[in-house]
Amino acid sequence: AISDAENLKNSKNTAITENTVHRYILKDYNGQIALFSEESKKPIEVYNIFTLSLPQKDIGIIKKGILVTESELKEILEEYTS
């Protein structure tokens, strides 16, 4: 899927300090961006970033959900809040 290709591309930029990389799903939840664990149906955190305020190309990706690591999550949130 889209997220797998993104992870391959971004993995070169991600410093891994442990053997285990925590992965999350960033996706739309009631019109806002939310963070989910890979197994969870309920969000870990809901951000004050409205999905419809994103660039058009990103809205579709967020609605489907994107698999991210912690470092990728920080980069994405910084991009959407700046």
Side-chain angles (χ1 to χ4, degrees):
I2 294 171
S3 59
D4 293 335
E6 289 275 326
N7 281 335
L8 281 174
K9 182 179 74 175
N10 292 330
S11 65
K12 295 174 187 164
N13 301 329
T14 304
I16 299 172
T17 56
E18 299 176 16
N19 291 337
T20 307
V21 176
H22 297 286
R23 298 193 314 178
Y24 304 95
I25 298 171
L26 196 62
K27 67 179 181 178
D28 178 80
Y29 181 78
N30 296 330
Q32 291 177 263
I33 294 178
L35 183 67
F36 295 79
S37 69
E38 285 187 276
E39 312 82 35
S40 179
K41 299 268 187 235
K42 292 193 174 202
I44 298 168
E45 188 166 351
V46 178
Y47 300 99
N48 193 27
I49 303 169
F50 292 91
T51 305
L52 292 178
S53 71
L54 303 178
Q56 191 64 42
K57 65 179 179 64
D58 294 347
I59 292 173
I61 293 169
I62 292 295
K63 288 204 179 262
K64 290 178 187 174
I66 184 169
L67 195 61
V68 295
T69 63
E70 286 184 58
S71 61
E72 292 168 338
L73 171 66
K74 289 176 187 173
E75 288 177 27
I76 291 169
L77 293 177
E78 285 175 13
E79 183 179 318
Y80 289 156
T81 57
S82 60

Coordinates of all heavy atoms in Angstrom, one line a residue:
A1 N 0.8 -1.2 0.0 CA 0.0 0.0 0.0 C 0.9 1.2 0.0 O 2.1 1.2 0.0 CB -0.9 0.0 1.2
I2 N 0.2 2.4 0.0 CA 0.9 3.7 0.0 C 1.9 3.7 1.2 O 3.1 4.1 1.0 CB -0.1 4.8 0.1 CG1 -0.9 4.9 -1.2 CG2 0.7 6.2 0.3 CD1 -2.1 5.9 -1.1
S3 N 1.5 3.4 2.4 CA 2.3 3.5 3.6 C 3.6 2.7 3.5 O 4.6 3.1 4.0 CB 1.5 3.2 4.8 OG 1.0 1.9 4.8
D4 N 3.5 1.5 2.9 CA 4.7 0.6 2.8 C 5.7 1.3 1.9 O 6.9 1.3 2.2 CB 4.3 -0.7 2.2 CG 3.4 -1.5 3.1 OD1 3.5 -1.3 4.3 OD2 2.7 -2.4 2.6
A5 N 5.3 1.9 0.8 CA 6.2 2.6 -0.1 C 6.8 3.8 0.6 O 8.0 4.1 0.5 CB 5.5 3.0 -1.4
E6 N 6.0 4.5 1.4 CA 6.5 5.7 2.1 C 7.5 5.2 3.2 O 8.6 5.9 3.3 CB 5.3 6.3 2.9 CG 4.4 7.1 2.0 CD 4.8 8.5 1.7 OE1 5.4 9.1 2.5 OE2 4.6 8.9 0.5
N7 N 7.3 4.1 3.9 CA 8.2 3.6 4.9 C 9.5 3.2 4.3 O 10.6 3.5 4.8 CB 7.6 2.5 5.7 CG 6.6 3.0 6.7 OD1 6.7 4.1 7.2 ND2 5.7 2.2 7.1
L8 N 9.5 2.6 3.1 CA 10.7 2.2 2.4 C 11.6 3.4 2.1 O 12.8 3.5 2.3 CB 10.5 1.4 1.2 CG 10.1 -0.1 1.4 CD1 9.7 -0.7 0.1 CD2 11.3 -0.8 2.0
K9 N 10.9 4.4 1.6 CA 11.6 5.6 1.1 C 12.1 6.4 2.4 O 13.2 6.9 2.3 CB 10.6 6.5 0.4 CG 11.2 7.8 -0.1 CD 10.1 8.7 -0.8 CE 9.2 9.3 0.2 NZ 8.2 10.2 -0.4
N10 N 11.3 6.4 3.4 CA 11.7 7.2 4.6 C 12.6 6.5 5.6 O 13.2 7.1 6.4 CB 10.5 7.7 5.4 CG 9.7 8.7 4.6 OD1 10.3 9.5 3.8 ND2 8.4 8.7 4.8
S11 N 12.7 5.1 5.4 CA 13.5 4.4 6.4 C 15.0 4.8 6.4 O 15.7 4.7 7.4 CB 13.4 2.9 6.1 OG 13.9 2.5 4.9
K12 N 15.5 5.2 5.3 CA 16.9 5.7 5.2 C 17.1 6.9 6.0 O 18.2 7.1 6.5 CB 17.2 6.0 3.7 CG 17.2 4.7 2.9 CD 17.4 5.1 1.4 CE 17.2 3.9 0.6 NZ 17.0 4.2 -0.8
N13 N 16.1 7.7 6.3 CA 16.2 8.9 7.1 C 15.9 8.7 8.6 O 16.1 9.6 9.3 CB 15.2 10.0 6.5 CG 15.5 10.3 5.1 OD1 16.6 10.2 4.6 ND2 14.5 10.7 4.4
T14 N 15.5 7.5 8.9 CA 15.1 7.2 10.3 C 16.2 6.6 11.1 O 16.7 5.5 10.7 CB 13.9 6.3 10.3 OG1 12.8 7.0 9.5 CG2 13.3 6.1 11.7
A15 N 16.7 7.2 12.1 CA 17.7 6.6 13.0 C 17.1 5.6 13.9 O 16.1 5.9 14.6 CB 18.5 7.7 13.7
I16 N 17.5 4.3 13.9 CA 17.0 3.3 14.7 C 17.9 3.1 15.9 O 19.1 2.7 15.7 CB 16.7 2.0 13.9 CG1 15.7 2.3 12.8 CG2 16.2 0.9 14.9 CD1 15.5 1.2 11.8
T17 N 17.5 3.3 17.1 CA 18.3 3.1 18.3 C 18.0 1.9 19.0 O 18.8 1.5 19.9 CB 18.2 4.3 19.2 OG1 16.8 4.5 19.6 CG2 18.7 5.6 18.6
E18 N 16.9 1.2 18.7 CA 16.6 0.0 19.3 C 16.3 -1.1 18.2 O 16.1 -0.7 17.1 CB 15.3 0.1 20.2 CG 15.4 1.1 21.3 CD 14.1 1.3 22.0 OE1 13.2 0.5 21.8 OE2 14.0 2.3 22.7
N19 N 16.2 -2.3 18.6 CA 15.8 -3.4 17.7 C 14.3 -3.2 17.3 O 13.9 -3.6 16.2 CB 16.1 -4.7 18.2 CG 17.6 -5.0 18.4 OD1 18.4 -4.4 17.7 ND2 17.9 -5.9 19.2
T20 N 13.5 -2.7 18.2 CA 12.1 -2.6 17.9 C 11.7 -1.2 17.5 O 12.1 -0.2 18.2 CB 11.3 -3.0 19.2 OG1 11.7 -4.2 19.7 CG2 9.8 -3.0 18.9
V21 N 11.1 -1.1 16.3 CA 10.6 0.2 15.9 C 9.1 0.2 16.1 O 8.4 -0.6 15.6 CB 10.9 0.4 14.4 CG1 10.3 1.7 13.9 CG2 12.4 0.4 14.1
H22 N 8.7 1.2 16.9 CA 7.2 1.3 17.2 C 6.6 2.0 16.0 O 7.0 3.0 15.5 CB 7.0 2.2 18.4 CG 7.5 1.5 19.7 ND1 7.0 0.4 20.2 CD2 8.6 1.8 20.4 CE1 7.7 0.0 21.3 NE2 8.7 0.9 21.4
R23 N 5.5 1.3 15.5 CA 4.8 1.8 14.3 C 3.4 2.2 14.7 O 2.8 1.4 15.5 CB 4.9 0.8 13.2 CG 6.3 0.6 12.7 CD 6.5 -0.1 11.4 NE 5.6 -1.2 11.3 CZ 5.6 -2.0 10.2 NH1 6.3 -1.7 9.2 NH2 4.8 -3.0 10.1
Y24 N 2.9 3.2 14.1 CA 1.6 3.7 14.4 C 0.9 4.0 13.1 O 1.5 4.1 12.0 CB 1.7 5.0 15.2 CG 2.4 4.9 16.5 CD1 3.8 5.3 16.5 CD2 1.8 4.5 17.6 CE1 4.5 5.1 17.7 CE2 2.5 4.3 18.8 CZ 3.9 4.7 18.8 OH 4.6 4.6 20.0
I25 N -0.4 4.2 13.2 CA -1.2 4.5 12.0 C -1.8 5.9 12.3 O -2.4 6.2 13.3 CB -2.4 3.5 11.8 CG1 -1.8 2.2 11.5 CG2 -3.2 4.0 10.6 CD1 -2.8 1.1 11.5
L26 N -1.5 6.8 11.3 CA -2.0 8.2 11.4 C -3.1 8.3 10.4 O -3.0 8.0 9.2 CB -0.9 9.2 11.0 CG -1.1 10.6 11.3 CD1 -1.2 10.8 12.8 CD2 0.1 11.4 10.8
K27 N -4.4 8.6 10.9 CA -5.5 8.7 10.0 C -6.6 9.6 10.5 O -6.5 10.0 11.7 CB -6.0 7.3 9.7 CG -6.7 6.5 10.9 CD -7.2 5.2 10.4 CE -7.9 4.5 11.6 NZ -8.4 3.2 11.2
D28 N -7.6 9.8 9.7 CA -8.7 10.6 10.0 C -9.6 9.9 11.1 O -9.8 8.7 11.1 CB -9.6 10.8 8.8 CG -10.8 11.7 9.1 OD1 -10.6 12.9 9.2 OD2 -11.9 11.1 9.2
Y29 N -10.0 10.7 12.1 CA -10.9 10.3 13.1 C -11.9 11.4 13.4 O -11.5 12.5 13.9 CB -10.1 9.9 14.4 CG -11.0 9.4 15.5 CD1 -11.5 8.1 15.5 CD2 -11.3 10.2 16.6 CE1 -12.3 7.6 16.5 CE2 -12.1 9.7 17.6 CZ -12.6 8.4 17.6 OH -13.3 8.0 18.6
N30 N -13.1 11.3 13.0 CA -14.1 12.3 13.1 C -13.7 13.7 12.6 O -13.9 14.7 13.2 CB -14.6 12.4 14.6 CG -15.2 11.2 15.1 OD1 -15.9 10.5 14.4 ND2 -15.1 10.9 16.4
G31 N -13.0 13.7 11.5 CA -12.6 14.9 10.8 C -11.3 15.5 11.3 O -10.9 16.6 10.9
Q32 N -10.6 14.9 12.2 CA -9.3 15.3 12.7 C -8.3 14.2 12.6 O -8.6 13.0 12.5 CB -9.4 15.7 14.2 CG -10.2 17.0 14.4 CD -10.4 17.3 15.9 OE1 -11.4 17.0 16.5 NE2 -9.4 18.0 16.4
I33 N -7.0 14.6 12.5 CA -5.9 13.6 12.5 C -5.8 13.0 13.8 O -5.7 13.7 14.8 CB -4.6 14.3 12.0 CG1 -4.8 14.8 10.6 CG2 -3.5 13.3 12.1 CD1 -3.5 15.5 10.1
A34 N -5.7 11.6 13.8 CA -5.5 10.9 15.1 C -4.4 9.8 14.9 O -4.2 9.4 13.8 CB -6.8 10.3 15.5
L35 N -3.9 9.5 16.0 CA -2.8 8.4 16.1 C -3.4 7.2 16.7 O -4.0 7.2 17.8 CB -1.6 9.0 16.9 CG -0.4 8.1 17.0 CD1 0.2 8.0 15.6 CD2 0.5 8.6 18.0
F36 N -3.2 6.1 16.0 CA -3.6 4.7 16.5 C -2.4 3.8 16.6 O -1.5 3.9 15.8 CB -4.6 4.1 15.4 CG -5.9 4.9 15.3 CD1 -5.9 6.0 14.5 CD2 -7.0 4.4 15.9 CE1 -7.1 6.7 14.3 CE2 -8.2 5.1 15.7 CZ -8.3 6.3 14.9
S37 N -2.5 2.9 17.5 CA -1.5 1.8 17.4 C -1.9 0.9 16.3 O -3.1 0.9 15.8 CB -1.5 1.0 18.8 OG -2.6 0.3 19.0
E38 N -1.0 0.0 15.8 CA -1.4 -0.9 14.7 C -2.6 -1.8 15.0 O -3.3 -2.1 14.1 CB -0.2 -1.7 14.3 CG 0.9 -0.9 13.6 CD 2.0 -1.8 13.1 OE1 2.9 -2.1 13.8 OE2 1.9 -2.2 11.9
E39 N -2.8 -2.1 16.3 CA -3.8 -3.1 16.6 C -5.1 -2.4 17.1 O -6.1 -3.0 17.2 CB -3.4 -4.0 17.8 CG -2.0 -4.6 17.7 CD -0.9 -3.7 18.0 OE1 -1.0 -2.8 19.0 OE2 0.2 -3.7 17.4
S40 N -5.1 -1.1 17.3 CA -6.2 -0.4 18.0 C -7.2 0.2 17.1 O -6.9 0.6 16.0 CB -5.7 0.7 18.9 OG -6.7 1.4 19.5
K41 N -8.5 0.1 17.5 CA -9.6 0.8 16.8 C -9.8 2.2 17.4 O -10.5 3.0 16.7 CB -10.9 -0.1 16.9 CG -10.7 -1.4 16.3 CD -11.2 -1.4 14.9 CE -11.2 -2.8 14.3 NZ -10.4 -3.0 13.1
K42 N -9.4 2.4 18.6 CA -9.6 3.7 19.3 C -8.2 4.5 19.2 O -7.2 3.9 19.4 CB -10.0 3.5 20.7 CG -11.4 3.0 20.8 CD -11.9 3.1 22.2 CE -13.4 2.7 22.2 NZ -14.1 3.2 23.3
P43 N -8.3 5.8 19.0 CA -7.0 6.6 18.9 C -6.3 6.7 20.2 O -6.9 6.7 21.3 CB -7.5 7.9 18.4 CG -8.9 8.0 18.8 CD -9.5 6.6 18.8
I44 N -5.0 6.7 20.1 CA -4.1 7.0 21.3 C -4.2 8.5 21.6 O -4.3 8.9 22.7 CB -2.7 6.6 20.9 CG1 -2.5 5.1 20.7 CG2 -1.7 7.1 22.1 CD1 -1.2 4.7 20.1
E45 N -4.2 9.3 20.5 CA -4.3 10.7 20.6 C -5.0 11.3 19.4 O -4.8 10.8 18.3 CB -2.9 11.3 20.7 CG -2.8 12.7 21.1 CD -1.4 13.2 21.5 OE1 -0.5 12.4 21.7 OE2 -1.3 14.4 21.6
V46 N -5.8 12.3 19.6 CA -6.4 13.1 18.5 C -5.8 14.5 18.5 O -5.8 15.1 19.6 CB -8.0 13.1 18.7 CG1 -8.6 13.9 17.6 CG2 -8.6 11.8 18.8
Y47 N -5.3 14.9 17.4 CA -4.7 16.2 17.2 C -5.6 17.2 16.8 O -6.6 17.0 16.1 CB -3.5 16.1 16.2 CG -2.5 15.0 16.7 CD1 -2.5 13.8 16.2 CD2 -1.6 15.3 17.7 CE1 -1.6 12.8 16.6 CE2 -0.6 14.4 18.1 CZ -0.6 13.1 17.6 OH 0.2 12.2 18.0
N48 N -5.3 18.5 17.1 CA -6.2 19.6 16.8 C -5.8 20.1 15.3 O -5.6 21.2 15.1 CB -6.0 20.8 17.8 CG -7.1 21.8 17.6 OD1 -8.2 21.5 17.1 ND2 -6.8 23.0 18.0
I49 N -5.8 19.1 14.4 CA -5.5 19.3 13.0 C -6.7 18.7 12.2 O -6.9 17.5 12.3 CB -4.2 18.7 12.6 CG1 -3.0 19.1 13.4 CG2 -3.9 18.9 11.1 CD1 -1.7 18.3 13.2
F50 N -7.4 19.6 11.5 CA -8.6 19.1 10.8 C -8.2 18.6 9.5 O -7.4 19.2 8.7 CB -9.6 20.2 10.7 CG -10.2 20.6 12.0 CD1 -9.6 21.6 12.8 CD2 -11.3 19.9 12.5 CE1 -10.2 21.9 14.1 CE2 -11.8 20.2 13.8 CZ -11.3 21.2 14.5
T51 N -8.6 17.4 9.2 CA -8.3 16.7 7.9 C -8.5 17.6 6.7 O -7.7 17.6 5.8 CB -9.1 15.4 7.8 OG1 -8.8 14.6 9.0 CG2 -8.6 14.6 6.6
L52 N -9.7 18.2 6.7 CA -10.0 19.0 5.5 C -9.1 20.3 5.3 O -9.2 20.9 4.3 CB -11.5 19.4 5.5 CG -12.4 18.2 5.3 CD1 -13.9 18.7 5.4 CD2 -12.2 17.5 4.0
S53 N -8.3 20.6 6.3 CA -7.4 21.8 6.2 C -6.1 21.4 5.6 O -5.3 22.2 5.3 CB -7.1 22.4 7.6 OG -6.3 21.5 8.4
L54 N -5.9 20.1 5.3 CA -4.7 19.6 4.7 C -4.7 19.8 3.2 O -5.8 20.0 2.6 CB -4.5 18.1 5.0 CG -4.5 17.7 6.4 CD1 -4.4 16.1 6.5 CD2 -3.4 18.3 7.2
P55 N -3.5 19.8 2.6 CA -3.5 19.8 1.1 C -4.3 18.7 0.5 O -4.4 17.6 1.1 CB -2.0 19.6 0.8 CG -1.3 20.1 2.0 CD -2.2 19.7 3.1
Q56 N -4.9 18.9 -0.6 CA -5.9 17.9 -1.2 C -5.2 16.5 -1.3 O -5.8 15.5 -1.0 CB -6.4 18.4 -2.6 CG -7.5 17.6 -3.1 CD -8.8 17.7 -2.3 OE1 -9.1 18.7 -1.8 NE2 -9.4 16.6 -2.1
K57 N -4.0 16.5 -1.8 CA -3.3 15.2 -2.0 C -3.1 14.4 -0.7 O -3.2 13.2 -0.6 CB -2.0 15.3 -2.7 CG -0.9 16.1 -1.9 CD 0.4 16.2 -2.6 CE 1.4 17.0 -1.9 NZ 1.9 16.4 -0.6
D58 N -3.0 15.1 0.4 CA -2.8 14.5 1.8 C -4.1 14.0 2.4 O -4.1 13.1 3.2 CB -2.1 15.4 2.7 CG -0.7 15.8 2.3 OD1 -0.2 15.1 1.4 OD2 -0.1 16.7 2.8
I59 N -5.2 14.6 2.0 CA -6.5 14.2 2.6 C -6.8 12.8 2.3 O -7.2 12.0 3.2 CB -7.6 15.2 2.1 CG1 -7.4 16.6 2.7 CG2 -9.0 14.6 2.5 CD1 -8.4 17.6 2.1
G60 N -6.6 12.4 1.1 CA -6.9 11.0 0.7 C -6.0 10.0 1.4 O -6.4 8.9 1.9
I61 N -4.7 10.4 1.6 CA -3.8 9.5 2.3 C -4.2 9.4 3.8 O -4.2 8.3 4.3 CB -2.3 10.1 2.2 CG1 -1.9 10.0 0.7 CG2 -1.4 9.3 3.1 CD1 -0.6 10.8 0.4
I62 N -4.5 10.5 4.4 CA -4.9 10.4 5.8 C -6.2 9.7 6.0 O -6.4 9.0 7.0 CB -5.0 11.9 6.4 CG1 -3.6 12.5 6.5 CG2 -5.7 11.9 7.7 CD1 -2.6 11.8 7.4
K63 N -7.2 9.8 5.1 CA -8.4 9.1 5.2 C -8.2 7.6 5.1 O -8.9 6.8 5.8 CB -9.4 9.6 4.1 CG -10.0 10.9 4.5 CD -11.3 11.2 3.8 CE -11.8 12.6 4.2 NZ -12.7 12.6 5.3
K64 N -7.2 7.1 4.3 CA -6.9 5.7 4.2 C -6.1 5.3 5.4 O -6.2 4.1 5.8 CB -6.1 5.4 2.9 CG -7.0 5.5 1.7 CD -6.1 5.3 0.5 CE -6.9 5.6 -0.8 NZ -6.1 5.5 -2.0
G65 N -5.2 6.2 5.9 CA -4.3 5.8 7.0 C -2.9 5.6 6.5 O -2.8 5.1 5.4
I66 N -2.0 6.1 7.2 CA -0.6 5.9 6.8 C 0.2 5.4 8.0 O 0.1 5.8 9.2 CB 0.0 7.3 6.3 CG1 1.5 7.0 5.8 CG2 0.0 8.4 7.4 CD1 2.0 8.2 5.1
L67 N 1.0 4.4 7.7 CA 1.9 3.7 8.7 C 3.1 4.6 9.0 O 3.8 4.9 8.0 CB 2.3 2.3 8.3 CG 2.8 1.4 9.3 CD1 1.8 1.1 10.4 CD2 3.2 0.1 8.6
V68 N 3.4 5.0 10.2 CA 4.5 5.8 10.6 C 5.2 5.3 11.8 O 4.7 4.7 12.6 CB 4.0 7.3 10.8 CG1 3.4 7.9 9.6 CG2 3.0 7.4 12.0
T69 N 6.5 5.7 11.9 CA 7.3 5.5 13.1 C 7.2 6.8 13.9 O 6.7 7.8 13.4 CB 8.8 5.3 12.7 OG1 9.3 6.4 12.1 CG2 9.0 4.0 11.8
E70 N 7.8 6.8 15.1 CA 7.7 8.0 15.9 C 8.4 9.2 15.3 O 7.9 10.3 15.3 CB 8.4 7.7 17.3 CG 7.5 6.8 18.2 CD 8.1 6.6 19.5 OE1 8.3 7.6 20.2 OE2 8.3 5.5 19.9
S71 N 9.6 9.0 14.7 CA 10.3 10.1 14.1 C 9.5 10.6 12.8 O 9.4 11.9 12.6 CB 11.7 9.7 13.7 OG 11.7 8.7 12.7
E72 N 8.9 9.7 12.1 CA 8.1 10.2 10.9 C 6.9 11.0 11.4 O 6.5 12.0 10.8 CB 7.7 9.0 10.1 CG 8.8 8.4 9.3 CD 8.4 7.0 8.7 OE1 7.5 6.4 9.2 OE2 9.1 6.6 7.8
L73 N 6.3 10.5 12.5 CA 5.1 11.2 13.1 C 5.4 12.6 13.4 O 4.7 13.5 13.1 CB 4.6 10.4 14.3 CG 3.5 11.1 15.1 CD1 2.2 11.2 14.3 CD2 3.3 10.4 16.4
K74 N 6.6 12.8 14.1 CA 7.0 14.2 14.5 C 7.2 15.1 13.3 O 6.7 16.2 13.3 CB 8.3 14.1 15.3 CG 8.1 13.5 16.7 CD 9.4 13.4 17.4 CE 9.2 12.7 18.7 NZ 10.5 12.4 19.4
E75 N 7.8 14.5 12.2 CA 8.0 15.3 11.0 C 6.7 15.7 10.4 O 6.5 16.8 9.9 CB 8.8 14.5 10.0 CG 10.3 14.4 10.4 CD 11.0 13.5 9.4 OE1 10.6 13.5 8.2 OE2 12.0 12.9 9.8
I76 N 5.8 14.7 10.3 CA 4.5 15.0 9.6 C 3.7 16.0 10.4 O 3.1 17.0 9.9 CB 3.7 13.7 9.5 CG1 4.3 12.8 8.4 CG2 2.2 14.0 9.1 CD1 3.8 11.4 8.4
L77 N 3.6 15.9 11.8 CA 2.9 16.8 12.6 C 3.5 18.2 12.5 O 2.7 19.2 12.4 CB 2.8 16.4 14.0 CG 2.0 15.1 14.3 CD1 2.1 14.7 15.7 CD2 0.6 15.3 13.9
E78 N 4.8 18.3 12.5 CA 5.4 19.6 12.3 C 5.1 20.3 11.0 O 4.8 21.5 10.9 CB 7.0 19.5 12.4 CG 7.5 19.3 13.8 CD 9.0 19.1 13.9 OE1 9.7 19.3 12.9 OE2 9.4 18.7 15.0
E79 N 5.0 19.5 9.9 CA 4.7 20.0 8.6 C 3.2 20.5 8.6 O 2.9 21.5 8.0 CB 4.8 18.8 7.6 CG 4.5 19.3 6.2 CD 4.7 18.1 5.2 OE1 5.7 17.4 5.3 OE2 3.9 18.0 4.3
Y80 N 2.3 19.8 9.2 CA 0.9 20.2 9.2 C 0.6 21.3 10.2 O -0.4 22.0 10.0 CB 0.0 19.0 9.5 CG -0.1 17.9 8.4 CD1 -0.4 16.6 8.7 CD2 0.2 18.2 7.1 CE1 -0.5 15.6 7.7 CE2 0.1 17.3 6.1 CZ -0.2 16.0 6.4 OH -0.3 15.0 5.5
T81 N 1.4 21.6 11.2 CA 1.1 22.6 12.1 C 1.9 23.9 11.8 O 1.7 24.9 12.5 CB 1.4 22.2 13.6 OG1 2.8 21.7 13.7 CG2 0.5 21.1 14.0
S82 N 2.8 23.9 10.8 CA 3.6 25.1 10.6 C 3.0 25.9 9.5 O 2.1 25.6 8.8 CB 5.0 24.7 10.1 OG 5.0 23.9 9.0

